[in-house]
Amino acid sequence: MVNEGSKPQAPVAPPHKLLVLKFAESRASELESLHSVVSNRLNNDFRCQRNKRRRTTGHDDRVGRNKFRKKRRVGEEDVTKSDSSKKDEKKVSRRLRRRIELSDNPESGFCTSGDGTKRLRTHVWHAKRFKMIKLWGFHIPLGLHGRGRGSRALLKKLKCGALVHDMSYCTAVQLEGPEDMLLSVLSSVLVPSPSTNSEDRLHNMLSGDIFGSAMLHHAGKPFSPTITPVTYMWRPLTRIAVNREVHNVSLCDEQQNIDNDAPFRQLWVWIHSAAFKEGSDALRSACESQMDVTGHSLKCTSREGQLGNLELIGSSAFQLLRKILQPARCISESSWHLKKCSADEDEDEEESKKTSILKNEDQISASAIISLTVNDPRTLSRNDIEIVPEGKPPGLLHKSKEQTMSERDAESLSFCPSLEDHSVAERIDLWDASRGICPPVEESVICMEKHHRRKEFIRLGGTHLGIQNASTEGNSFRLCPILLLKNENLEGSVIRWSIILPLSWVKVFWITLVSNGAHAIGLREKHQIACEAGLPYFPLDFPDCNAYSHFMAMEAVASDQKAELCPPSTRPPKVPIPPPWDCVRFTFDKESSKAGNSQSRGEEDGGHGVPFKGFVARTSSMLIDFLDKLGAKRLLLFPKRLDQKNCMYKFMKDKEILKQDAVNSEANSCVKQCFLRVLLLAHKEGVFEQGAVVCAPHITDVLTFRSKINNRELQIPQYSLQSYFLQKQSGEWDLQVPKDPAVQESYRWPIGFITTGFVRGSKKPVAGALCEATLLSRLREEQWKALPVRQRKKEIYVLVRNLRSTAYRLALATIVLERQEEDVKFM
């Protein structure tokens, strides 16, 4: 017992290091007792049981000795050489060379395979789990192994979780020059051009707050075939001014090209790899044309191999971003905005707003751009993350600064950037990726630091001063500049975020996202998500692009090779890939002859074999221009415009106005065919596949399908299925008009084709298709005239038939441009 007058002694702290020999000597009696107990149980037989032994040949060196003897027989002249020289001459194995190459993480550039195909930074991760294909010059993950039947599970993850896709195969083209010249270049190649936006939206674009989407065309040819859909964004003016002071850039060349009213600007135009060469050439030629007119210089450079793009999709995408992103608040005073700038306080307030805006997704507008500098996501500990229970709104994921420092005083030093990282963060910006951005700290250093922190926690290690010094060695740091883009969607059903970051940091963020619950997807799953969201998917929903023709040609070869593997008795009937879009002109000629138009478009459109004729109207202004050039008095098409009220319901409910002819008989039929994107919803039943033909129904077909009593199906004869489209010896497909009266009774003329089919498992399956505009107008006029006023719909009844089926299904077609002003968003 302790005496009353004596003070209690303080407990002795455990030692920092443990000596195994002294520990064993002090516990000798206990170890001997344990050994006696074990020996009694095993009857003093400590050998491994025979049934648990495994046949291994690691101890047998006869195989190696035989190989050495064979080498000596082949080259006996090399016997005199020393062993060290032989080891130097020995070539490194391919497996080791590949491992070193794939594990390398350079600042820029993609590693390539033997044939020059580029590999993504996440190639090793995908190759172990996904089916890989060579497409657009990259090894791209197609999807999970199998037949692609996991759409139900995919939609469930989309609704309740987050999906991630590596889009680093898309490349940015950087344009530099005076602002007015860059606007002129964009106006000549983009539809819609930036100048057509409202003043507020144009101001937000030029200030770098939001990004824009448009269709890229050749310079001065808005009705020419589309090259590709693009996304463009402007660099803020404050970043350019600070960058000049930090890098001490000589502005002699720039001042020659910049007037007082035209500041020097930079912008990025993101182009899909399927059309990167054609798109970059179009931008370069537009810049050269502008330079010839004005005499000033413009720069058009590629940022390939410098920037990466990770796309997050799903309801939990924003919650996952808040979980892994830790803005570097400790450098808010010394960020890329310099202290000597006069607007220091405003810039610090802007940084604090960008940091706090991640707390609430509703505060972020559509198409917003958020610029952040975040810490390495691998250094986040569990104490920094708040576990959010299901069904409750997530709170603040990061603790307060005082609480974090009080709880983890020892660990905070390893998480805060070093002084070298502060200096690098002041100089670096994602827009300056061409100057080089240091790659992240190696994984081995991060693991070693975690190991030493665990040892320090149980008082078995020393101070971690040496760990910091080791972690800051080399050309690497722990801060990463990123851009967050909030993508806009049609009805808010699918939430999408894009993370633009340096290419050397893609692997770090990818592993962190997947480890925190994100499910990786490939091209097949992304196409299904685009169909579920009602967005066009590039290049399948863009038949007027050259990328579509190249992609479908590859699909046709793959389909033929797959069919050849089946015996002739079970081989499926061959269908046209891609669909013969030029056959729609036969329907137009037939309708024009009914309207009394003597002109025929068949000869003027040329022969067969052209993949796609006409153009696709992606904006309401393009559709209005087409209607003006057509010379028609009135077509029942109502493109949505912000400055005008939609008069569709006025025509729908009017009884007298439909008595007149909707289309002028003297309409200019030499104008190109205009196709509109429509969304198809099955009336009662049916599953629409990709490539299915959309036909014009008779009014009796509509009344028959809508009646609940008559269950008769409209079908074509089985023997006429193979002759609906006939392939020539040249490989082209032609539409065959039947001459048999029995077949003519069930024959329906095509008006378009489905580009994106139903997604199995969707609660409201929707298919995307392209149909001819004037034919849709005539169908609407015919149906409104035949149906009572109360039964008229804004949708148009059409018939859909899968190419390998004989049955027609009734569907409701909704024109996208009647719901929104522009149809330029894509996936």
Side-chain angles (χ1 to χ4, degrees), residues 193-230:
S193 64
S195 58
T196 58
N197 295 299
S198 59
E199 294 184 1
D200 295 339
R201 183 172 178 83
L202 181 60
H203 174 72
N204 292 333
M205 282 185 180
L206 294 177
S207 61
D209 295 334
I210 61 175
F211 63 92
S213 299
M215 297 294 159
L216 180 63
H217 297 259
H218 292 281
K221 300 178 181 179
F223 290 95
S224 63
T226 305
I227 298 176
T228 178
V230 297

mmCIF file of all heavy atoms in Angstrom, residues 193-230:
data_model
loop_
_atom_site.group_PDB
_atom_site.id
_atom_site.type_symbol
_atom_site.label_atom_id
_atom_site.label_comp_id
_atom_site.label_asym_id
_atom_site.label_seq_id
_atom_site.Cartn_x
_atom_site.Cartn_y
_atom_site.Cartn_z
ATOM 1 N N SER A 193 -22.801 29.622 -82.285
ATOM 2 C CA SER A 193 -21.622 30.425 -81.997
ATOM 3 C C SER A 193 -21.791 31.112 -80.643
ATOM 4 O O SER A 193 -22.913 31.330 -80.176
ATOM 5 C CB SER A 193 -21.418 31.473 -83.099
ATOM 6 O OG SER A 193 -22.500 32.382 -83.124
ATOM 7 N N PRO A 194 -20.693 31.453 -79.977
ATOM 8 C CA PRO A 194 -20.811 32.117 -78.667
ATOM 9 C C PRO A 194 -21.557 33.445 -78.728
ATOM 10 O O PRO A 194 -22.167 33.849 -77.733
ATOM 11 C CB PRO A 194 -19.346 32.317 -78.250
ATOM 12 C CG PRO A 194 -18.575 31.304 -79.022
ATOM 13 C CD PRO A 194 -19.299 31.158 -80.328
ATOM 14 N N SER A 195 -21.508 34.129 -79.847
ATOM 15 C CA SER A 195 -22.175 35.430 -79.942
ATOM 16 C C SER A 195 -23.687 35.323 -79.914
ATOM 17 O O SER A 195 -24.364 36.316 -79.644
ATOM 18 C CB SER A 195 -21.728 36.150 -81.213
ATOM 19 O OG SER A 195 -22.022 35.358 -82.364
ATOM 20 N N THR A 196 -24.250 34.153 -80.182
ATOM 21 C CA THR A 196 -25.707 33.993 -80.156
ATOM 22 C C THR A 196 -26.257 33.834 -78.748
ATOM 23 O O THR A 196 -27.476 33.858 -78.570
ATOM 24 C CB THR A 196 -26.107 32.770 -80.986
ATOM 25 O OG1 THR A 196 -25.459 31.604 -80.463
ATOM 26 C CG2 THR A 196 -25.709 32.956 -82.438
ATOM 27 N N ASN A 197 -25.391 33.665 -77.746
ATOM 28 C CA ASN A 197 -25.861 33.542 -76.369
ATOM 29 C C ASN A 197 -26.298 34.894 -75.825
ATOM 30 O O ASN A 197 -25.982 35.955 -76.389
ATOM 31 C CB ASN A 197 -24.756 32.946 -75.485
ATOM 32 C CG ASN A 197 -24.409 31.524 -75.882
ATOM 33 O OD1 ASN A 197 -25.246 30.627 -75.841
ATOM 34 N ND2 ASN A 197 -23.161 31.307 -76.285
ATOM 35 N N SER A 198 -26.991 34.866 -74.721
ATOM 36 C CA SER A 198 -27.396 36.105 -74.071
ATOM 37 C C SER A 198 -26.174 36.817 -73.490
ATOM 38 O O SER A 198 -25.091 36.237 -73.344
ATOM 39 C CB SER A 198 -28.409 35.812 -72.958
ATOM 40 O OG SER A 198 -27.844 34.940 -71.985
ATOM 41 N N GLU A 199 -26.357 38.083 -73.141
ATOM 42 C CA GLU A 199 -25.233 38.875 -72.632
ATOM 43 C C GLU A 199 -24.699 38.311 -71.318
ATOM 44 O O GLU A 199 -23.476 38.259 -71.103
ATOM 45 C CB GLU A 199 -25.676 40.327 -72.450
ATOM 46 C CG GLU A 199 -26.015 41.032 -73.762
ATOM 47 C CD GLU A 199 -26.361 42.489 -73.528
ATOM 48 O OE1 GLU A 199 -26.305 42.921 -72.347
ATOM 49 O OE2 GLU A 199 -26.692 43.184 -74.507
ATOM 50 N N ASP A 200 -25.589 37.880 -70.444
ATOM 51 C CA ASP A 200 -25.136 37.345 -69.154
ATOM 52 C C ASP A 200 -24.376 36.042 -69.343
ATOM 53 O O ASP A 200 -23.329 35.832 -68.722
ATOM 54 C CB ASP A 200 -26.336 37.125 -68.233
ATOM 55 C CG ASP A 200 -27.015 38.430 -67.868
ATOM 56 O OD1 ASP A 200 -26.352 39.488 -67.973
ATOM 57 O OD2 ASP A 200 -28.205 38.402 -67.495
ATOM 58 N N ARG A 201 -24.890 35.169 -70.197
ATOM 59 C CA ARG A 201 -24.215 33.895 -70.407
ATOM 60 C C ARG A 201 -22.874 34.097 -71.121
ATOM 61 O O ARG A 201 -21.883 33.441 -70.783
ATOM 62 C CB ARG A 201 -25.108 32.961 -71.229
ATOM 63 C CG ARG A 201 -24.503 31.575 -71.432
ATOM 64 C CD ARG A 201 -25.497 30.626 -72.078
ATOM 65 N NE ARG A 201 -24.902 29.322 -72.311
ATOM 66 C CZ ARG A 201 -24.806 28.368 -71.398
ATOM 67 N NH1 ARG A 201 -25.257 28.591 -70.171
ATOM 68 N NH2 ARG A 201 -24.263 27.204 -71.688
ATOM 69 N N LEU A 202 -22.825 35.001 -72.093
ATOM 70 C CA LEU A 202 -21.562 35.275 -72.773
ATOM 71 C C LEU A 202 -20.547 35.872 -71.807
ATOM 72 O O LEU A 202 -19.346 35.537 -71.862
ATOM 73 C CB LEU A 202 -21.807 36.215 -73.949
ATOM 74 C CG LEU A 202 -20.571 36.575 -74.791
ATOM 75 C CD1 LEU A 202 -19.936 35.331 -75.390
ATOM 76 C CD2 LEU A 202 -20.938 37.567 -75.889
ATOM 77 N N HIS A 203 -20.997 36.742 -70.920
ATOM 78 C CA HIS A 203 -20.078 37.307 -69.927
ATOM 79 C C HIS A 203 -19.539 36.224 -68.995
ATOM 80 O O HIS A 203 -18.343 36.229 -68.648
ATOM 81 C CB HIS A 203 -20.803 38.385 -69.126
ATOM 82 C CG HIS A 203 -19.986 38.931 -67.979
ATOM 83 N ND1 HIS A 203 -18.906 39.758 -68.170
ATOM 84 C CD2 HIS A 203 -20.100 38.736 -66.633
ATOM 85 C CE1 HIS A 203 -18.382 40.075 -66.993
ATOM 86 N NE2 HIS A 203 -19.084 39.457 -66.048
ATOM 87 N N ASN A 204 -20.398 35.303 -68.574
ATOM 88 C CA ASN A 204 -19.942 34.224 -67.699
ATOM 89 C C ASN A 204 -18.969 33.294 -68.419
ATOM 90 O O ASN A 204 -18.036 32.764 -67.811
ATOM 91 C CB ASN A 204 -21.136 33.427 -67.188
ATOM 92 C CG ASN A 204 -22.010 34.223 -66.244
ATOM 93 O OD1 ASN A 204 -21.534 35.150 -65.572
ATOM 94 N ND2 ASN A 204 -23.287 33.895 -66.192
ATOM 95 N N MET A 205 -19.186 33.083 -69.718
ATOM 96 C CA MET A 205 -18.248 32.256 -70.478
ATOM 97 C C MET A 205 -16.886 32.925 -70.579
ATOM 98 O O MET A 205 -15.845 32.298 -70.348
ATOM 99 C CB MET A 205 -18.808 31.991 -71.879
ATOM 100 C CG MET A 205 -19.887 30.942 -71.958
ATOM 101 S SD MET A 205 -20.343 30.627 -73.682
ATOM 102 C CE MET A 205 -21.607 29.382 -73.453
ATOM 103 N N LEU A 206 -16.882 34.217 -70.930
ATOM 104 C CA LEU A 206 -15.615 34.920 -71.107
ATOM 105 C C LEU A 206 -14.865 35.079 -69.789
ATOM 106 O O LEU A 206 -13.636 35.153 -69.778
ATOM 107 C CB LEU A 206 -15.862 36.290 -71.742
ATOM 108 C CG LEU A 206 -16.404 36.280 -73.170
ATOM 109 C CD1 LEU A 206 -16.672 37.701 -73.655
ATOM 110 C CD2 LEU A 206 -15.450 35.571 -74.113
ATOM 111 N N SER A 207 -15.584 35.141 -68.690
ATOM 112 C CA SER A 207 -14.925 35.250 -67.394
ATOM 113 C C SER A 207 -14.432 33.917 -66.859
ATOM 114 O O SER A 207 -13.760 33.887 -65.827
ATOM 115 C CB SER A 207 -15.881 35.885 -66.374
ATOM 116 O OG SER A 207 -17.049 35.086 -66.215
ATOM 117 N N GLY A 208 -14.758 32.816 -67.539
ATOM 118 C CA GLY A 208 -14.283 31.502 -67.113
ATOM 119 C C GLY A 208 -15.136 30.854 -66.059
ATOM 120 O O GLY A 208 -14.686 29.883 -65.426
ATOM 121 N N ASP A 209 -16.371 31.329 -65.836
ATOM 122 C CA ASP A 209 -17.239 30.744 -64.815
ATOM 123 C C ASP A 209 -17.995 29.527 -65.323
ATOM 124 O O ASP A 209 -18.291 28.621 -64.551
ATOM 125 C CB ASP A 209 -18.232 31.790 -64.307
ATOM 126 C CG ASP A 209 -17.527 32.928 -63.591
ATOM 127 O OD1 ASP A 209 -16.420 32.688 -63.065
ATOM 128 O OD2 ASP A 209 -18.076 34.045 -63.548
ATOM 129 N N ILE A 210 -18.349 29.508 -66.602
ATOM 130 C CA ILE A 210 -19.080 28.379 -67.176
ATOM 131 C C ILE A 210 -18.425 28.008 -68.499
ATOM 132 O O ILE A 210 -17.668 28.780 -69.082
ATOM 133 C CB ILE A 210 -20.581 28.706 -67.395
ATOM 134 C CG1 ILE A 210 -20.735 29.871 -68.368
ATOM 135 C CG2 ILE A 210 -21.268 28.995 -66.084
ATOM 136 C CD1 ILE A 210 -22.172 30.174 -68.733
ATOM 137 N N PHE A 211 -18.716 26.816 -68.978
ATOM 138 C CA PHE A 211 -18.219 26.351 -70.264
ATOM 139 C C PHE A 211 -19.380 26.225 -71.241
ATOM 140 O O PHE A 211 -20.553 26.216 -70.848
ATOM 141 C CB PHE A 211 -17.486 25.011 -70.123
ATOM 142 C CG PHE A 211 -18.359 23.881 -69.637
ATOM 143 C CD1 PHE A 211 -19.019 23.055 -70.543
ATOM 144 C CD2 PHE A 211 -18.517 23.624 -68.289
ATOM 145 C CE1 PHE A 211 -19.819 22.021 -70.113
ATOM 146 C CE2 PHE A 211 -19.308 22.581 -67.843
ATOM 147 C CZ PHE A 211 -19.969 21.780 -68.757
ATOM 148 N N GLY A 212 -19.050 26.118 -72.504
ATOM 149 C CA GLY A 212 -20.062 26.014 -73.546
ATOM 150 C C GLY A 212 -19.904 24.742 -74.359
ATOM 151 O O GLY A 212 -18.825 24.141 -74.403
ATOM 152 N N SER A 213 -20.963 24.345 -75.011
ATOM 153 C CA SER A 213 -20.977 23.172 -75.891
ATOM 154 C C SER A 213 -21.506 23.591 -77.248
ATOM 155 O O SER A 213 -22.423 24.419 -77.346
ATOM 156 C CB SER A 213 -21.839 22.049 -75.311
ATOM 157 O OG SER A 213 -21.344 21.623 -74.051
ATOM 158 N N ALA A 214 -20.944 23.007 -78.296
ATOM 159 C CA ALA A 214 -21.345 23.374 -79.654
ATOM 160 C C ALA A 214 -20.911 22.268 -80.604
ATOM 161 O O ALA A 214 -20.241 21.309 -80.216
ATOM 162 C CB ALA A 214 -20.740 24.718 -80.064
ATOM 163 N N MET A 215 -21.321 22.411 -81.862
ATOM 164 C CA MET A 215 -20.928 21.509 -82.933
ATOM 165 C C MET A 215 -19.830 22.161 -83.764
ATOM 166 O O MET A 215 -19.969 23.316 -84.182
ATOM 167 C CB MET A 215 -22.133 21.173 -83.829
ATOM 168 C CG MET A 215 -23.232 20.448 -83.098
ATOM 169 S SD MET A 215 -22.731 18.828 -82.550
ATOM 170 C CE MET A 215 -23.926 18.548 -81.238
ATOM 171 N N LEU A 216 -18.784 21.425 -83.995
ATOM 172 C CA LEU A 216 -17.646 21.940 -84.755
ATOM 173 C C LEU A 216 -17.839 21.628 -86.231
ATOM 174 O O LEU A 216 -18.033 20.469 -86.612
ATOM 175 C CB LEU A 216 -16.346 21.326 -84.234
ATOM 176 C CG LEU A 216 -15.056 21.769 -84.922
ATOM 177 C CD1 LEU A 216 -14.828 23.258 -84.729
ATOM 178 C CD2 LEU A 216 -13.868 20.979 -84.382
ATOM 179 N N HIS A 217 -17.795 22.670 -87.072
ATOM 180 C CA HIS A 217 -17.902 22.557 -88.519
ATOM 181 C C HIS A 217 -16.646 23.149 -89.151
ATOM 182 O O HIS A 217 -15.805 23.742 -88.475
ATOM 183 C CB HIS A 217 -19.135 23.301 -89.047
ATOM 184 C CG HIS A 217 -20.436 22.746 -88.555
ATOM 185 N ND1 HIS A 217 -21.237 21.929 -89.310
ATOM 186 C CD2 HIS A 217 -21.075 22.893 -87.364
ATOM 187 C CE1 HIS A 217 -22.306 21.591 -88.621
ATOM 188 N NE2 HIS A 217 -22.231 22.167 -87.431
ATOM 189 N N HIS A 218 -16.539 22.976 -90.437
ATOM 190 C CA HIS A 218 -15.478 23.654 -91.163
ATOM 191 C C HIS A 218 -15.783 25.140 -91.253
ATOM 192 O O HIS A 218 -16.948 25.565 -91.198
ATOM 193 C CB HIS A 218 -15.322 23.041 -92.562
ATOM 194 C CG HIS A 218 -14.787 21.643 -92.541
ATOM 195 N ND1 HIS A 218 -13.446 21.362 -92.364
ATOM 196 C CD2 HIS A 218 -15.422 20.441 -92.655
ATOM 197 C CE1 HIS A 218 -13.264 20.046 -92.385
ATOM 198 N NE2 HIS A 218 -14.442 19.463 -92.554
ATOM 199 N N ALA A 219 -14.762 25.954 -91.387
ATOM 200 C CA ALA A 219 -14.901 27.407 -91.291
ATOM 201 C C ALA A 219 -15.863 27.925 -92.349
ATOM 202 O O ALA A 219 -15.716 27.638 -93.535
ATOM 203 C CB ALA A 219 -13.531 28.078 -91.443
ATOM 204 N N GLY A 220 -16.871 28.682 -91.892
ATOM 205 C CA GLY A 220 -17.812 29.322 -92.800
ATOM 206 C C GLY A 220 -18.825 28.394 -93.426
ATOM 207 O O GLY A 220 -19.497 28.791 -94.377
ATOM 208 N N LYS A 221 -18.986 27.165 -92.922
ATOM 209 C CA LYS A 221 -19.919 26.206 -93.503
ATOM 210 C C LYS A 221 -20.787 25.609 -92.399
ATOM 211 O O LYS A 221 -20.578 24.485 -91.960
ATOM 212 C CB LYS A 221 -19.174 25.098 -94.245
ATOM 213 C CG LYS A 221 -18.306 25.600 -95.394
ATOM 214 C CD LYS A 221 -17.557 24.454 -96.048
ATOM 215 C CE LYS A 221 -16.672 24.941 -97.174
ATOM 216 N NZ LYS A 221 -15.911 23.824 -97.809
ATOM 217 N N PRO A 222 -21.768 26.367 -91.902
ATOM 218 C CA PRO A 222 -22.582 25.846 -90.791
ATOM 219 C C PRO A 222 -23.475 24.679 -91.181
ATOM 220 O O PRO A 222 -23.845 23.874 -90.329
ATOM 221 C CB PRO A 222 -23.412 27.073 -90.372
ATOM 222 C CG PRO A 222 -23.457 27.935 -91.591
ATOM 223 C CD PRO A 222 -22.163 27.732 -92.292
ATOM 224 N N PHE A 223 -23.834 24.569 -92.484
ATOM 225 C CA PHE A 223 -24.679 23.462 -92.926
ATOM 226 C C PHE A 223 -23.858 22.324 -93.518
ATOM 227 O O PHE A 223 -24.423 21.400 -94.099
ATOM 228 C CB PHE A 223 -25.702 23.955 -93.955
ATOM 229 C CG PHE A 223 -26.762 24.837 -93.360
ATOM 230 C CD1 PHE A 223 -26.634 26.218 -93.379
ATOM 231 C CD2 PHE A 223 -27.884 24.297 -92.760
ATOM 232 C CE1 PHE A 223 -27.597 27.038 -92.830
ATOM 233 C CE2 PHE A 223 -28.857 25.100 -92.209
ATOM 234 C CZ PHE A 223 -28.716 26.481 -92.235
ATOM 235 N N SER A 224 -22.553 22.388 -93.395
ATOM 236 C CA SER A 224 -21.704 21.283 -93.839
ATOM 237 C C SER A 224 -21.771 20.152 -92.820
ATOM 238 O O SER A 224 -22.245 20.345 -91.695
ATOM 239 C CB SER A 224 -20.262 21.771 -94.014
ATOM 240 O OG SER A 224 -19.739 22.206 -92.779
ATOM 241 N N PRO A 225 -21.307 18.957 -93.184
ATOM 242 C CA PRO A 225 -21.335 17.853 -92.214
ATOM 243 C C PRO A 225 -20.570 18.205 -90.940
ATOM 244 O O PRO A 225 -19.500 18.817 -90.963
ATOM 245 C CB PRO A 225 -20.660 16.703 -92.975
ATOM 246 C CG PRO A 225 -20.894 17.019 -94.410
ATOM 247 C CD PRO A 225 -20.860 18.506 -94.510
ATOM 248 N N THR A 226 -21.137 17.807 -89.819
ATOM 249 C CA THR A 226 -20.525 18.084 -88.523
ATOM 250 C C THR A 226 -19.237 17.287 -88.364
ATOM 251 O O THR A 226 -19.166 16.118 -88.762
ATOM 252 C CB THR A 226 -21.510 17.739 -87.400
ATOM 253 O OG1 THR A 226 -22.735 18.433 -87.619
ATOM 254 C CG2 THR A 226 -20.946 18.128 -86.053
ATOM 255 N N ILE A 227 -18.235 17.911 -87.767
ATOM 256 C CA ILE A 227 -16.988 17.208 -87.479
ATOM 257 C C ILE A 227 -17.113 16.447 -86.171
ATOM 258 O O ILE A 227 -16.908 15.237 -86.116
ATOM 259 C CB ILE A 227 -15.809 18.192 -87.434
ATOM 260 C CG1 ILE A 227 -15.639 18.877 -88.797
ATOM 261 C CG2 ILE A 227 -14.527 17.481 -87.038
ATOM 262 C CD1 ILE A 227 -14.550 19.937 -88.800
ATOM 263 N N THR A 228 -17.480 17.160 -85.127
ATOM 264 C CA THR A 228 -17.630 16.537 -83.811
ATOM 265 C C THR A 228 -18.258 17.541 -82.862
ATOM 266 O O THR A 228 -18.098 18.759 -83.042
ATOM 267 C CB THR A 228 -16.265 16.091 -83.256
ATOM 268 O OG1 THR A 228 -16.435 15.540 -81.950
ATOM 269 C CG2 THR A 228 -15.300 17.245 -83.177
ATOM 270 N N PRO A 229 -18.964 17.095 -81.842
ATOM 271 C CA PRO A 229 -19.378 18.016 -80.769
ATOM 272 C C PRO A 229 -18.186 18.327 -79.868
ATOM 273 O O PRO A 229 -17.352 17.460 -79.593
ATOM 274 C CB PRO A 229 -20.463 17.241 -80.025
ATOM 275 C CG PRO A 229 -20.165 15.813 -80.301
ATOM 276 C CD PRO A 229 -19.553 15.759 -81.676
ATOM 277 N N VAL A 230 -18.098 19.558 -79.408
ATOM 278 C CA VAL A 230 -16.952 20.000 -78.614
ATOM 279 C C VAL A 230 -17.458 20.726 -77.369
ATOM 280 O O VAL A 230 -18.614 21.157 -77.291
ATOM 281 C CB VAL A 230 -16.010 20.917 -79.416
ATOM 282 C CG1 VAL A 230 -15.409 20.176 -80.590
ATOM 283 C CG2 VAL A 230 -16.742 22.174 -79.886
#
